[in-house]
Amino acid sequence: MRVELIVNGEMRTVEVEPRMSLLDCLRERLLLTGAHAGCEHGVCGACTVLIDGAPARSCLMFAVQADGYAITTIEGVTPGPGELSPIQDAFCETHGMQCGYCTPAMILTAHALLADNPDPTRADIVDAISANICRCTGYAQIVEAIALAAERMRGLNQPARKP
Amino acid sequence: MTAKSFRFVSTDRRVREDRRFVVGKGRFAADIAAAGTRHVALVTCPHPAARILAIDKAAALAAPGVHYVLDGRELAAATQPLLAGLDTPKVPRRPLAVDVARYAGEWVAAVVADTRALAEDAAELVRVDYQPLPFVLDGEAAYAPGSPIVHADHGSNVLLDRTFVWGEVEKDFAESPHRLSLRLKWGRSSTVPVETFAVLASWDPWREVFDVYASVQMPRFPDQVALALKLPGSSVRVHNDVDVGGSYGVKRGIKHAVLVGYLSRRLGFPVRLVEDRLENMRAGDGHGPERNFDIEVAFDEMGLIRAMKMRALDNVGAYAGRSPFQLGKPIGAIVGPYRIQSVQYRAIAVTSNKTVQEAVRAFGQSPTNYAIERAIEEVARHRGLDRLEVRRRNLIRADEFPYLIPSGTTYDSGDYHAVVDKVVARADYAALAAERDRLRARGLLAGIGMAACLEPSGANSTFEPLLNPKNETTTYTDSCRINVDVSGAVTATIHTLSAGQGHETLVGTVVGEVLEIDPDRIRVVRPDSLASLPSQSPVGSRMAIMLGGAAFHAAQKLKARLLAIAAHDLKIPPERVAYDAGDVFDRSAPQNRRTWAELVTIAHRNFHRLPPNTEPGLAFTHVMQVPTGGRLPTADGRVQMYPCFAFEFHLLLMTIDPDLGKPEIKRYFVGHDCGTVINPKLVAQSLMDYLLPSAHEVPPVEIVHHVTPSPHTVFGQKGSGESGYLGAPAAIASAVNDALRPLGIVVNSLPIKLAQLGDMIAAARGQSNTVGESE
């Protein structure tokens, strides 16, 4: 059946089977491969996208259910070719990743958090990303990245100096 | 020794790989879509052991979008069994079961369809007629006489049973005033990368080449796939420029690649298999060691351990892959960081009707570390001594390096006491103990955990000839090629895949260091396997040593050539030229120089200005032999296993809720010495790998660094890829046992499950309550 998805601000019309997940639709039909499959049953969070600004598991949602909603993927928060958002840049600054597989979902989760709460405590950050599993890092540098991004976005800090 | 100073090495620089990951532009295997790709779903055996009487494919083949249903007999007729580590020809392993299935979840047939969903639909329509067979799951039961035999042709379940004796073990036991023994269990676990295994294979019948895109971390992956498919190695092109979404040892994928490779060639289109999580957990390559230890130690009044006997029985599951070698690697650090003089080690690998065990992080070292640490704690308890003090007394001293252990390996360098002292100082051990006692007074169970252990690094696979006499492997290469193009730009190569270890950053940093140019200006690429130099895989914490070493030596060769060209062109003796950030000048007259651009132009365009017998261009390769490697084991199994030995000391405070059994880590300190750190960002986090699952449970870890350079490596670096996992299980077990000590409980098996803990605490308190009431 035909669905109309507003993906990263653009209306996309896609023909899908009713059983196709939003994740498969984004990856296979719209070639937005920044959302990743990890467990396909809502546990790991690697498929997280923003639906009307709120983080959601795209593996637990059918594409047909997303009809009419504003969907933001990692591709949608990247400012432009070769550019990084302040959150993306902060993840690079603290090396808030290793293999990079959970990273786009972590960053979208951080975008949603900081949109609601520009001055999160460590506990707020931990709470927000506890829905996203990372197997490489132990989370410390991810928490640090989000705290750094929040600090910079509040304008309290200059970009970190180069050594 | 003190650390050298460097221009770029050891400085806190960004990790270049990160830029593509934060924008969702990583290139993972499941992101690669070849035109016309069809998809595989698997039919799996629901029984632990069963004869396959018949496979009815008709309904599946009639389902929409289905192209083929492959069974084990057809695949076996066309391919070779997968390579096994040990010499066990009667234990053949194949991607699909042939006539007998030997574990629940084993692949029995593969369905190919237009989409994965259609393939899954059709897989449910394949009807397999099974006759269940007797089975065995427990390792000791499989070892015992009378057990059901997993591979009848092999005649028993024993793949390996060898006893090594290094030193005067019996004499040392006889002469020691005290001894104790322990039985320990290390349960199966997995490292569970968030990305499951994925592979796409595409056969080009005109070029006669497979293109393989896989999320793989497996030494000699292309060779093994070619061997199984009965093709020359030059017909399998594995693409190394695929990002691996976490591996920690488990992304092996030979059977997956052979399966889709065969299907692609048979059917004439690209075929892809992306495991779902269920396939991944039941029959993927994620299962790690499952090991029983019987450990006996002989020691004196002071708690000094003189000799050790260790029996390790590993349940490797239904087939023999590379996993039995995981009993071999620990031989290179069989005494841990301690001065134990003699060791008897019995290594037993048995088959059972469980999922096949594969390599998991640290390749068997982490269970061994756990066993040694438990023994140390029991010695302290036996002598009524402080656990920290007993460790200090037994640790090898800084002035004893290089230190030869009984199994023939020499530890390169270290200052274990200094690392322990740093951690104890940072943690304020006395205050930590006071905090534990305060928590205990509040009614909580609280314990301090500690573990000291080694991370052998720079894998050279010497366990292969040690455990398989037909295998005479004495080298385990990694390589780098550096090319300076006509524009003067530098490109360096990596010939394996990576799973988040930052190897591009490593190579850029090392080449930049040698050439004295900004590492960010050095392009790092990954040619496919057919354009690659001999390389293995990022296993055994080897890449800082081996890839870093290869990059270093290739860059040195380039630098030497630039010096030679400049000396010739300046018409001065070679010893008078000096290198300065790409330029070369005359030491006697520094204004006489050739710039980088001039030297590049001479090399590429002005053959008449090159020294005689010099190849034009600037292309240099280095194939790296493992430092200290190259010798076969002795007849009594003594061997230099790995070249470098990093040290770590863990110290933590933990509480356990006495009613729920729920643990909480209050403080966690790690002291770490991995020699010279090439990029601090890359090392900082490998220390806290998957201790516990979500951001809520993982405590902030306080890391204390210490640097004892290795004499065997170019910058003094050692490996650090496996660090957290090597000591954390032992340290957590230590804390749990300290917390439970007031209840008289000792836990001697891992994993420690919440429910089990709660039950044990309840039972112990029940008993003490009963005692209280009767008094």
mmCIF file of all heavy atoms in Angstrom, chain B residues 618-640:
data_model
loop_
_atom_site.group_PDB
_atom_site.id
_atom_site.type_symbol
_atom_site.label_atom_id
_atom_site.label_comp_id
_atom_site.label_asym_id
_atom_site.label_seq_id
_atom_site.Cartn_x
_atom_site.Cartn_y
_atom_site.Cartn_z
ATOM 1 N N LEU B 618 57.665 6.445 -5.264
ATOM 2 C CA LEU B 618 57.912 6.331 -3.816
ATOM 3 C C LEU B 618 56.856 5.396 -3.236
ATOM 4 O O LEU B 618 55.816 5.825 -2.746
ATOM 5 C CB LEU B 618 57.847 7.703 -3.140
ATOM 6 C CG LEU B 618 58.994 8.681 -3.449
ATOM 7 C CD1 LEU B 618 58.623 10.085 -2.960
ATOM 8 C CD2 LEU B 618 60.316 8.231 -2.850
ATOM 9 N N ALA B 619 57.095 4.097 -3.375
ATOM 10 C CA ALA B 619 56.140 3.101 -2.876
ATOM 11 C C ALA B 619 56.905 2.106 -2.013
ATOM 12 O O ALA B 619 57.889 1.513 -2.468
ATOM 13 C CB ALA B 619 55.467 2.389 -4.040
ATOM 14 N N PHE B 620 56.456 1.942 -0.794
ATOM 15 C CA PHE B 620 57.195 1.103 0.163
ATOM 16 C C PHE B 620 56.234 0.201 0.925
ATOM 17 O O PHE B 620 55.157 0.632 1.332
ATOM 18 C CB PHE B 620 57.976 1.977 1.150
ATOM 19 C CG PHE B 620 58.975 2.833 0.438
ATOM 20 C CD1 PHE B 620 58.614 4.083 -0.039
ATOM 21 C CD2 PHE B 620 60.245 2.351 0.160
ATOM 22 C CE1 PHE B 620 59.512 4.861 -0.748
ATOM 23 C CE2 PHE B 620 61.148 3.120 -0.552
ATOM 24 C CZ PHE B 620 60.785 4.377 -1.012
ATOM 25 N N THR B 621 56.662 -1.027 1.096
ATOM 26 C CA THR B 621 55.842 -1.958 1.855
ATOM 27 C C THR B 621 56.652 -2.517 3.012
ATOM 28 O O THR B 621 57.887 -2.564 2.966
ATOM 29 C CB THR B 621 55.390 -3.151 0.989
ATOM 30 O OG1 THR B 621 56.534 -3.905 0.593
ATOM 31 C CG2 THR B 621 54.645 -2.680 -0.234
ATOM 32 N N HIS B 622 55.922 -2.926 4.027
ATOM 33 C CA HIS B 622 56.573 -3.682 5.096
ATOM 34 C C HIS B 622 55.629 -4.775 5.580
ATOM 35 O O HIS B 622 54.479 -4.516 5.920
ATOM 36 C CB HIS B 622 56.977 -2.797 6.271
ATOM 37 C CG HIS B 622 57.855 -3.531 7.243
ATOM 38 N ND1 HIS B 622 59.212 -3.654 7.069
ATOM 39 C CD2 HIS B 622 57.556 -4.249 8.364
ATOM 40 C CE1 HIS B 622 59.729 -4.384 8.046
ATOM 41 N NE2 HIS B 622 58.741 -4.768 8.847
ATOM 42 N N VAL B 623 56.130 -5.984 5.566
ATOM 43 C CA VAL B 623 55.390 -7.124 6.098
ATOM 44 C C VAL B 623 56.031 -7.445 7.439
ATOM 45 O O VAL B 623 57.206 -7.774 7.522
ATOM 46 C CB VAL B 623 55.466 -8.336 5.145
ATOM 47 C CG1 VAL B 623 54.651 -9.495 5.720
ATOM 48 C CG2 VAL B 623 54.943 -7.957 3.762
ATOM 49 N N MET B 624 55.245 -7.339 8.480
ATOM 50 C CA MET B 624 55.774 -7.370 9.848
ATOM 51 C C MET B 624 55.702 -8.778 10.440
ATOM 52 O O MET B 624 54.638 -9.392 10.462
ATOM 53 C CB MET B 624 54.913 -6.403 10.682
ATOM 54 C CG MET B 624 55.307 -6.285 12.116
ATOM 55 S SD MET B 624 56.499 -4.971 12.383
ATOM 56 C CE MET B 624 56.704 -5.099 14.165
ATOM 57 N N GLN B 625 56.827 -9.258 10.905
ATOM 58 C CA GLN B 625 56.851 -10.491 11.691
ATOM 59 C C GLN B 625 56.602 -10.110 13.155
ATOM 60 O O GLN B 625 56.990 -9.022 13.605
ATOM 61 C CB GLN B 625 58.218 -11.180 11.535
ATOM 62 C CG GLN B 625 58.574 -12.203 12.601
ATOM 63 C CD GLN B 625 57.692 -13.463 12.572
ATOM 64 O OE1 GLN B 625 56.518 -13.408 12.212
ATOM 65 N NE2 GLN B 625 58.246 -14.587 12.977
ATOM 66 N N VAL B 626 55.939 -10.998 13.887
ATOM 67 C CA VAL B 626 55.662 -10.705 15.291
ATOM 68 C C VAL B 626 56.985 -10.647 16.064
ATOM 69 O O VAL B 626 57.792 -11.576 15.967
ATOM 70 C CB VAL B 626 54.760 -11.787 15.911
ATOM 71 C CG1 VAL B 626 54.436 -11.435 17.357
ATOM 72 C CG2 VAL B 626 53.494 -11.964 15.112
ATOM 73 N N PRO B 627 57.219 -9.577 16.798
ATOM 74 C CA PRO B 627 58.441 -9.512 17.600
ATOM 75 C C PRO B 627 58.524 -10.736 18.516
ATOM 76 O O PRO B 627 57.505 -11.178 19.055
ATOM 77 C CB PRO B 627 58.263 -8.234 18.436
ATOM 78 C CG PRO B 627 57.244 -7.424 17.708
ATOM 79 C CD PRO B 627 56.364 -8.408 16.988
ATOM 80 N N THR B 628 59.686 -11.268 18.671
ATOM 81 C CA THR B 628 59.997 -12.457 19.492
ATOM 82 C C THR B 628 59.452 -13.746 18.893
ATOM 83 O O THR B 628 59.638 -14.813 19.458
ATOM 84 C CB THR B 628 59.482 -12.383 20.960
ATOM 85 O OG1 THR B 628 58.059 -12.594 20.970
ATOM 86 C CG2 THR B 628 59.824 -11.075 21.632
ATOM 87 N N GLY B 629 58.738 -13.684 17.753
ATOM 88 C CA GLY B 629 58.159 -14.897 17.169
ATOM 89 C C GLY B 629 59.163 -15.621 16.299
ATOM 90 O O GLY B 629 60.318 -15.218 16.164
ATOM 91 N N GLY B 630 58.711 -16.726 15.700
ATOM 92 C CA GLY B 630 59.539 -17.394 14.710
ATOM 93 C C GLY B 630 60.026 -18.768 15.094
ATOM 94 O O GLY B 630 60.631 -19.461 14.286
ATOM 95 N N ARG B 631 59.787 -19.185 16.357
ATOM 96 C CA ARG B 631 60.269 -20.508 16.762
ATOM 97 C C ARG B 631 59.105 -21.452 17.051
ATOM 98 O O ARG B 631 58.072 -21.028 17.573
ATOM 99 C CB ARG B 631 61.141 -20.386 18.010
ATOM 100 C CG ARG B 631 62.578 -19.959 17.696
ATOM 101 C CD ARG B 631 63.486 -20.190 18.890
ATOM 102 N NE ARG B 631 63.017 -19.515 20.095
ATOM 103 C CZ ARG B 631 63.313 -18.265 20.408
ATOM 104 N NH1 ARG B 631 64.067 -17.539 19.607
ATOM 105 N NH2 ARG B 631 62.862 -17.713 21.518
ATOM 106 N N LEU B 632 59.328 -22.727 16.749
ATOM 107 C CA LEU B 632 58.329 -23.737 17.102
ATOM 108 C C LEU B 632 58.419 -24.033 18.598
ATOM 109 O O LEU B 632 59.464 -23.828 19.217
ATOM 110 C CB LEU B 632 58.580 -25.021 16.309
ATOM 111 C CG LEU B 632 58.208 -24.957 14.823
ATOM 112 C CD1 LEU B 632 58.749 -26.174 14.081
ATOM 113 C CD2 LEU B 632 56.694 -24.854 14.648
ATOM 114 N N PRO B 633 57.339 -24.552 19.192
ATOM 115 C CA PRO B 633 57.385 -24.929 20.612
ATOM 116 C C PRO B 633 58.368 -26.075 20.837
ATOM 117 O O PRO B 633 58.632 -26.860 19.925
ATOM 118 C CB PRO B 633 55.959 -25.402 20.910
ATOM 119 C CG PRO B 633 55.122 -24.932 19.778
ATOM 120 C CD PRO B 633 56.014 -24.776 18.600
ATOM 121 N N THR B 634 58.878 -26.193 22.042
ATOM 122 C CA THR B 634 59.728 -27.339 22.395
ATOM 123 C C THR B 634 58.833 -28.564 22.606
ATOM 124 O O THR B 634 57.606 -28.443 22.708
ATOM 125 C CB THR B 634 60.498 -27.061 23.695
ATOM 126 O OG1 THR B 634 59.533 -26.839 24.739
ATOM 127 C CG2 THR B 634 61.386 -25.844 23.558
ATOM 128 N N ALA B 635 59.486 -29.733 22.700
ATOM 129 C CA ALA B 635 58.716 -30.972 22.846
ATOM 130 C C ALA B 635 57.866 -30.969 24.113
ATOM 131 O O ALA B 635 56.782 -31.545 24.150
ATOM 132 C CB ALA B 635 59.666 -32.160 22.852
ATOM 133 N N ASP B 636 58.344 -30.323 25.177
ATOM 134 C CA ASP B 636 57.542 -30.297 26.406
ATOM 135 C C ASP B 636 56.596 -29.091 26.449
ATOM 136 O O ASP B 636 56.050 -28.751 27.482
ATOM 137 C CB ASP B 636 58.443 -30.349 27.653
ATOM 138 C CG ASP B 636 59.299 -29.095 27.804
ATOM 139 O OD1 ASP B 636 59.408 -28.312 26.844
ATOM 140 O OD2 ASP B 636 59.876 -28.912 28.897
ATOM 141 N N GLY B 637 56.407 -28.463 25.280
ATOM 142 C CA GLY B 637 55.379 -27.439 25.173
ATOM 143 C C GLY B 637 55.759 -26.114 25.793
ATOM 144 O O GLY B 637 54.922 -25.407 26.347
ATOM 145 N N ARG B 638 57.020 -25.762 25.706
ATOM 146 C CA ARG B 638 57.422 -24.413 26.130
ATOM 147 C C ARG B 638 57.482 -23.540 24.890
ATOM 148 O O ARG B 638 57.987 -23.944 23.848
ATOM 149 C CB ARG B 638 58.786 -24.435 26.812
ATOM 150 C CG ARG B 638 58.761 -25.102 28.175
ATOM 151 C CD ARG B 638 60.152 -25.174 28.764
ATOM 152 N NE ARG B 638 60.227 -26.219 29.768
ATOM 153 C CZ ARG B 638 60.285 -25.991 31.082
ATOM 154 N NH1 ARG B 638 60.306 -24.772 31.554
ATOM 155 N NH2 ARG B 638 60.340 -26.997 31.922
ATOM 156 N N VAL B 639 56.999 -22.324 25.035
ATOM 157 C CA VAL B 639 56.875 -21.492 23.849
ATOM 158 C C VAL B 639 56.792 -20.017 24.237
ATOM 159 O O VAL B 639 56.264 -19.684 25.301
ATOM 160 C CB VAL B 639 55.605 -21.913 23.058
ATOM 161 C CG1 VAL B 639 54.340 -21.622 23.836
ATOM 162 C CG2 VAL B 639 55.542 -21.260 21.698
ATOM 163 N N GLN B 640 57.357 -19.162 23.366
ATOM 164 C CA GLN B 640 57.119 -17.723 23.527
ATOM 165 C C GLN B 640 55.788 -17.444 22.850
ATOM 166 O O GLN B 640 55.704 -17.433 21.627
ATOM 167 C CB GLN B 640 58.235 -16.902 22.869
ATOM 168 C CG GLN B 640 58.046 -15.389 22.992
ATOM 169 C CD GLN B 640 58.238 -14.870 24.417
ATOM 170 O OE1 GLN B 640 59.092 -15.331 25.149
ATOM 171 N NE2 GLN B 640 57.411 -13.905 24.817
#
